[in-house]
Amino acid sequence: PTLYTDQFVPGSAHFPLIAYARRNPHAHFWVTEYDVEYRGHWGELFAGYADSQAHLIASHFHRPEEWPEWGWWDREFTNPHGVKLARKNMLKAFMPFYRISASALDALNAAHLNGWRGHVECLAPTILQRQGYSMLDLNQAQRPCYRGEYQDPNPDKQRLSTLRWRPHVEREEFLGRESDHALVFHPVKGDWYYDGRSIVSFEEATDILPETSS
């Protein structure tokens, strides 16, 4: 279910964040999907953006003319009756890992209440752009934390982004791709995670959990 309609709208995972922010006031909120892994120290990654005043920090910003075949420009996207929105004025971002400000969340919430609908990766950047909020690519604030420009499958592995929709990130790529750089990877769907030093399988992690008395 969503907050504003009884119909399911794909790309609505930001609704729990809006609800959480109402009860937990902070200047900014980081969102990390479960299948994002960072080959580095998370604290250092977050610290690299601490001085940024951008209201939305995400990856792969595009306008319709830059990626006309992207599937969410018009699908499920609705603006309020009487409000004109030229397609050229839409904006999208890739948001499995992003930071958003409290004021930007308020603006997004107000937009929903006024009738705006759509996948958050198109809706949020479009709304924030219309209202003059600042946005920043993750690679602009510090040294690059992801590599490659293609979010969809591409035969050129080096042009395929480490932050992408498909294909899944395998262990070999996670460990080997530009191994001297701390990089963010998505989607990691395997039975493993990175503990800051090495890859650990879920089975190994379960084996080392302390026993609890019943």
Side-chain angles (χ1 to χ4, degrees):
T2 67
L3 293 178
Y4 312 103
T5 176
D6 57 2
Q7 296 179 340
F8 176 74
V9 179
S12 298
H14 60 296
F15 287 167
L17 177 60
I18 291 175
Y20 177 83
R22 291 173 181 170
R23 299 173 176 82
N24 300 273
H26 297 286
H28 299 92
F29 298 86
W30 281 100
V31 177
T32 307
E33 293 185 358
Y34 78 97
D35 53 356
V36 172
E37 288 287 346
Y38 181 53
R39 197 180 61 200
H41 188 283
W42 282 100
E44 294 177 357
L45 175 63
F46 294 141
Y49 304 95
D51 294 333
S52 174
Q53 300 302 308
H55 291 278
L56 176 64
I57 304 176
S59 61
H60 299 294
F61 286 89
H62 292 98
R63 299 186 182 280
E65 65 268 22
E66 296 169 327
W67 193 358
E69 66 273 21
W70 189 65
W72 294 102
W73 290 121
D74 303 305
R75 185 179 172 189
E76 309 288 349
F77 195 98
T78 305
N79 43 294
H81 179 72
V83 176
K84 295 183 178 180
L85 175 66
R87 198 170 191 269
K88 66 179 181 180
N89 293 329
M90 299 176 79
L91 184 68
K92 55 81 60 177
F94 192 47
M95 297 171 59
F97 173 60
Y98 67 96
R99 194 191 81 173
I100 190 167
S101 71
S103 58
L105 275 177
D106 288 342
L108 189 54
N109 181 48
H112 280 304
L113 292 171
N114 287 330
W116 291 88
R117 303 283 184 272
H119 195 293
V120 69
E121 291 185 335
C122 184
L123 184 68
T126 298
I127 292 296
L128 297 181
Q129 175 185 245
R130 283 174 60 87
Q131 299 190 21
Y133 285 84
S134 57
M135 288 172 277
L136 189 73
D137 190 282
L138 282 161
N139 278 352
Q140 292 180 299
Q142 57 168 19
R143 60 184 173 82
C145 73
Y146 69 92
R147 300 287 191 181
E149 70 266 33
Y150 281 94
Q151 291 176 240
D152 287 347
N154 190 282
D156 187 339
K157 301 293 186 181
Q158 293 306 307
R159 300 186 71 184
L160 188 64
S161 180
T162 59
L163 266 175
R164 62 195 186 233
W165 175 67
R166 291 290 186 276
H168 298 169
V169 177
E170 303 295 341
R171 298 186 188 204
E172 293 76 16
E173 179 185 3
F174 183 83
L175 290 175
R177 186 163 177 184
E178 300 192 40
S179 58
D180 56 335
H181 294 286
L183 298 174
V184 180
F185 290 82
H186 172 277
V188 176
K189 302 288 189 180
D191 61 347
W192 57 272
Y193 67 93
Y194 186 68
D195 70 355
R197 298 180 301 274
S198 61
I199 283 179
V200 179
S201 71
F202 292 145
E203 184 177 349
E204 292 170 341
T206 302
D207 289 342
I208 63 175
L209 287 176
E211 293 185 5
T212 58
S213 57
S214 57

